[in-house]
Amino acid sequence: MSKVQAGLRYSIEHEWTDGGSPATIGVSQVAADALGEVVYVELPEVGAALTAGQVCGEIESTKSVSELFSPVTGEVVEVNTAVVDDPALVNSDPYGGAWLFRVAVSEEGPLLSAEEYAAENDAEVA
């Protein structure tokens, strides 16, 4: 069963945010487990303006290519080059070393609590 990290908030598209300032964004273990072995990650550039709910990048696995959606509106202030260089981090550490990018948030999109997201995705809160 996939784990959902408590204390984070989640989009229905499987991205998480820590709600910080700037906010750190990543993909959930639910998404990582569904994707399988992640082999490529394309992230937005620093300075890019993102809109909550809109496509901002992609993740490719040995099974499929999935779009990344921004859970927040704002400007990208940092990207995690470690996950670009080693996309397998998404599978091994989705809530830690595989964070994707950070955003100076002007508005949040619709987000679920960890408990709500876990219930929607047959996962458990850790």
Side-chain angles (χ1 to χ4, degrees):
M1 178 177 283
S2 295
K3 303 280 186 200
V4 173
Q5 184 164 315
L8 300 176
R9 291 182 293 148
Y10 298 82
S11 69
I12 59 168
E13 292 90 6
H14 307 292
E15 288 78 22
W16 58 260
T17 179
D18 64 358
S21 182
T24 302
I25 311 297
V27 295
S28 71
Q29 185 182 352
V30 171
D33 290 349
L35 284 166
E37 182 184 345
V38 175
V39 296
Y40 176 76
V41 177
E42 178 185 314
L43 301 176
E45 294 182 12
V46 170
L50 303 182
T51 301
Q54 299 298 307
V55 174
C56 63
E58 69 180 31
I59 293 183
E60 184 177 332
S61 72
T62 55
K63 290 189 202 176
S64 66
V65 176
S66 296
E67 295 176 321
L68 285 174
F69 294 86
S70 181
V72 298
T73 298
E75 182 180 330
V76 177
V77 296
E78 185 179 0
V79 296
N80 185 355
T81 56
V83 81
V84 172
D85 294 340
D86 184 9
L89 285 171
V90 171
N91 299 110
S92 63
D93 194 13
Y95 300 116
W99 64 273
L100 300 177
F101 53 92
R102 293 193 169 113
V103 178
V105 178
S106 59
E107 185 177 340
E108 292 185 335
L111 298 170
L112 304 171
S113 70
E115 293 75 18
E116 292 167 330
Y117 179 77
E120 290 285 322
N121 291 282
D122 194 31
E124 72 179 11
V125 178

